Amino acid sequence: MTRLTMILFSMIGTALAGSGVVIALTTGNDTLQPILISAALGAALGLPVSWWVAKQIS
């Protein structure tokens, strides 16, 4: 299940980090720090989401 989680994380983490950056930019936070924070939070949220999806699949 760990291998499936990592494969899913490569897609889910990227999608959530990108969504976080888009949200930061549309709310007017166009400096480096808010963009990096939102990308990091999206990527960090991607790990438990990937684990949950892998658990549901297998």
Side-chain angles (χ1 to χ4, degrees), residues 16-17 20 34-47:
L16 290 177
I35 292 172
L36 290 179
I37 289 171
S38 61
L41 288 175
L45 182 64
L47 193 59

Side-chain angles (χ1 to χ4, degrees), residues 1-47:
M1 190 165 90
T2 304
R3 185 174 176 188
L4 179 59
T5 301
M6 289 300 117
I7 292 169
L8 289 170
F9 177 71
S10 69
M11 294 177 281
I12 294 172
T14 304
L16 290 177
S19 298
V21 170
V22 169
I23 290 170
L25 291 173
T26 56
T27 58
N29 297 318
D30 56 353
T31 59
L32 180 64
Q33 189 174 9
I35 292 172
L36 290 179
I37 289 171
S38 61
L41 288 175
L45 182 64
L47 193 59

